[in-house]
Amino acid sequence: MNNSHLRAFWAILSALLLMNPAAEARTRKGDKYLKQGQAAEAKSDWDSALSFYQQAVDESPNDPEYLISMRRARFEAGQKHVSAGQKLRADGKLMEALQEFQRAIIADPASAIALQELRRTQQMIDQANRAGVKPEDLNLTPAEQVRREIDQRVASMEGPPELKPVIRTVPALKMNNQPPRILFETVGKLAGINVVFDSQYTPPTRGFNVELGNSTVEQAFDYLAILTHTYWKPITPNTIFVTEDNVTKRRDYEDEVVKTFYVTNATSVQEFQEIATAIRTVGDIRRVYTYNAQKAMVVRGTVDQVALAEKLVRDLDKPKSEVVVDLTFLSANSAKTRDLAATIVNASGTAGLSVPFAFTPRNSITINNGASGTGTGTGNTGGTNLTGGVPATTTTGATNAISLNNLGHISTADFSTTLPGALLQAMLQDNRTKVLAAPQLRMSDGQKGELQIGDRIPYATGSFQPGVGTVGVSPLVSTQFQFIDTGITMVITPQVHSSNELTLHVEITVSAVKEYLNLGGLSQPVVTQQKSITDLRLRDGEVNILGGLSQTQDSSSVNGIPGLVNIPILGKTFFGSNHTENDKEQLMIALVPHVVRTPDYSPENLRGIYAGSDQVVKINYAGIVDNAPPPAAPGTNPPGAAAQPAPAQTAPPAAAAVGPAGQPRLSLAPSPVQAAPNSNFSLTVRLDNAADVFSIAPLTIKFDPALVRLNDALPGPMLGPVTVGKDIRNDSGEAILTLTRPPGSPGMSGSGALVTLNFSAAGRGSGTISISNAAVKNSQSQPVPASAGSVQVTIQ
């Protein structure tokens, strides 16, 4: 190497030495930042971790570990600020939330969610600055405000109008030769119901005779509708609409409702569709839509059609019966093998007489083929005469070949034989196996339950022979295998008839590998199978034994010398062998079914209901009937009775004469009350054990204004003609009523409804509606002590 080469070498080496320390220094500094970032990451301080990782990347921009750590920290820091901003915004802190979203964008500029939340929060701030925004809407995004308005609008949707008369029972009434308008208006005035007629309705010219007993208001209107061939429907809780009953008018005026039914007990789509088909067919409803994902049915039809659909869903959507079957398997197998042999055996070791003769010539007469070659000359070489100079070819290998000129020299010395031997064998083998198993199956009505006890045995189903390279290739390499189940397979399908009786469809398969056969170099199993199919009708807890699954196999084989082995007694004993095999397989299965669940049909599911005519679906409802009819006032006559003179007035009993057992009592019915939000409900103020009650002034009702609102108060039949003063204060949750009879009227006695309170549900929750003050006075304007009650109301 010359001097120029040495100088170049030293220059390169010096440059490398100068570069390495700087590179090592930068690496050590970046690793320091990396460790600091990892420590901050362990504390979930993603902002600090991002700062450290960013510094590490600045030291080594191409280091993949630094880049990966920085990008992960960037994403996590952005998500952390987004979550914090969403929480602040939900608390109504819009400016703080806006700052968090800005920090999220600084940490991760590629975060799309941060940009969206920033714009959304800015819109909320702009909206808050405008006048007319409710305080509860400040923490809602525009989309959330729209969704809340939709929820409120959906929650405010009302069902079909429900008629709420002042009295539930129409007293006995008789009218002769009256037109339909007078008939409907008369019943309506008695019940506190307004009647509106169709402007195009033309009543018949003839009158109708009506005689009503104590019936509900709805039953009275239905009776009049059938009598006058009219159709009526409620349009408000205290107003009905009446028109002519024909297809056109029903199509124009009959209300339709939409309701969603959720079928919760159907276990398959087929069962769900069958329920929908039954509703569509029986209810004559054309618009039934099924949603299989949630097993929901959306039904649109008339009020009565949807009510009938609801009845059918309640009747058909029942949980399936379930059955538990206790099983007991007892398997007993026995195999006996006996081998007896005392006989002559041949050279191969098998029983029988075999005396082979073999030609084994002596060396002096055989041709010697121990050498191979060619030669010339005369002489005797290898036992073969060679004459002249003819070359002779010899082959290698020993044979029993002899020269023809030695045939005369063959004698018994040139033959050999093998003498037979004797065998004495006595062996007995006895194998016994017992298997006991007690599994349990639980199944639904009509559903299969399967039990498998045993092994899976592989068997070849196909093979592929490669075209080349087949030498030394295992046949398993190109053979496809499948598995067959052996052992006990039981399939049970129950059908429950009642709570204590059922039918079981039972399929039992017992299989086992009998032997293996060599097919094409593969060992293939031979499977024996026993199968039983039966239907059993059992009672709950009844034990049934399935037998008949047994198999017995006896086999016997005899080997020996023909003729000698047939000698009685001695033949099989001394000249043959006897092999006997006895195999027995027995299987017993005990089944004990138990019905653990039934559909629980209620009386409402089993009774029939009135459903209208062939063309019109009509559902009738049983009204709420007072326990006792309102008593007739003294001096008045029951409907239809002759006039009677009024009894002489006597001095009213003193207030102190009414003991605790007979003290008047004010109560609210029904109790308790459950209602849906934005729905209407009614409460009746009842007076029991009354004696000479003339007025109640004031009657103070207390309620929770955030829960319910009182709409109106209508007089009941208890006091007869009465003047009702109303001071309803929904803001404070109080209503002050006054109930007074006309001057000169006698006091009333007995029990009945004083006033009907019509409420509307304003919010969700539970509360109490109570009678806080009731100034009961008799006909002498003397106070009468009376107890007051309350009722629990739940809005949900």
Side-chain angles (χ1 to χ4, degrees), residues 347-401:
S348 61
T350 59
L353 184 60
S354 175
V355 184
F357 289 92
F359 179 58
T360 56
R362 293 162 293 168
N363 292 335
S364 59
I365 63 173
T366 58
I367 299 176
N368 186 7
N369 293 330
S372 179
T374 59
T376 59
T378 304
N380 187 355
T381 303
T384 303
N385 295 328
L386 300 178
T387 60
V390 179
T393 303
T394 62
T395 60
T396 304
T399 65
N400 292 333

Side-chain angles (χ1 to χ4, degrees), residues 311 314-315 318 600-609:
K311 170 71 167 57
R314 291 175 59 88
D315 293 345
K318 293 289 185 179
D600 190 19
Y601 299 112
S602 62
E604 289 75 15
N605 301 135
L606 301 177
R607 68 181 180 89
I609 62 171

Side-chain angles (χ1 to χ4, degrees), residues 679-702:
S679 64
N680 298 325
F681 63 94
S682 299
L683 287 177
T684 300
V685 180
R686 288 185 54 86
L687 176 62
D688 297 313
N689 301 326
D692 191 29
V693 174
F694 179 80
S695 65
I696 303 177
L699 176 63
T700 305
I701 308 296
K702 290 284 188 178

Side-chain angles (χ1 to χ4, degrees), residues 357-545:
F357 289 92
F359 179 58
T360 56
R362 293 162 293 168
N363 292 335
S364 59
I365 63 173
T366 58
I367 299 176
N368 186 7
N369 293 330
S372 179
T374 59
T376 59
T378 304
N380 187 355
T381 303
T384 303
N385 295 328
L386 300 178
T387 60
V390 179
T393 303
T394 62
T395 60
T396 304
T399 65
N400 292 333
I402 61 174
S403 302
L404 294 178
N405 56 358
N406 288 330
L407 291 176
H409 301 285
I410 296 176
S411 66
T412 57
D414 297 317
F415 293 91
S416 61
T417 185
T418 301
L419 297 179
L423 173 66
L424 178 60
Q425 180 181 3
M427 184 174 63
L428 178 65
Q429 184 177 1
D430 189 356
N431 295 328
R432 296 178 183 270
T433 304
K434 291 184 179 180
V435 178
L436 179 64
Q440 190 179 71
L441 285 179
R442 180 164 181 160
M443 300 146 290
S444 296
D445 187 16
Q447 303 294 320
K448 290 184 179 180
E450 185 172 350
L451 178 67
Q452 176 73 42
I453 301 176
D455 301 323
R456 305 196 73 193
I457 306 300
Y459 65 96
T461 58
S463 61
F464 171 73
Q465 182 69 29
V468 295
T470 59
V471 178
V473 177
S474 171
L476 299 179
V477 176
S478 55
T479 303
Q480 293 80 38
F481 289 89
Q482 290 187 4
F483 290 84
I484 186 173
D485 294 324
T486 61
I488 301 174
T489 301
M490 175 172 283
V491 179
I492 301 178
T493 305
Q495 182 180 355
V496 180
H497 305 298
S498 63
S499 60
N500 57 358
E501 193 168 358
L502 71 160
T503 294
L504 297 180
H505 177 78
V506 183
E507 298 182 11
I508 304 175
T509 302
V510 181
S511 58
V513 178
K514 179 180 180 182
E515 60 179 340
Y516 285 88
L517 298 179
N518 192 321
L519 302 176
L522 295 176
S523 180
Q524 296 286 78
V526 178
V527 179
T528 61
Q529 187 179 81
Q530 301 180 57
K531 191 169 185 178
S532 174
I533 301 177
T534 183
D535 290 291
L536 307 172
R537 189 177 182 109
L538 304 172
R539 296 183 64 84
D540 189 329
E542 182 179 354
V543 180
N544 184 78
I545 304 297

Side-chain angles (χ1 to χ4, degrees), residues 59-80:
E59 293 293 332
S60 299
N62 296 325
D63 191 298
E65 185 178 4
Y66 299 165
L67 292 173
I68 293 173
S69 300
M70 182 197 67
R71 290 171 181 171
R72 183 178 66 253
R74 186 182 296 278
F75 173 78
E76 295 292 344
Q79 289 298 114
K80 181 178 179 181

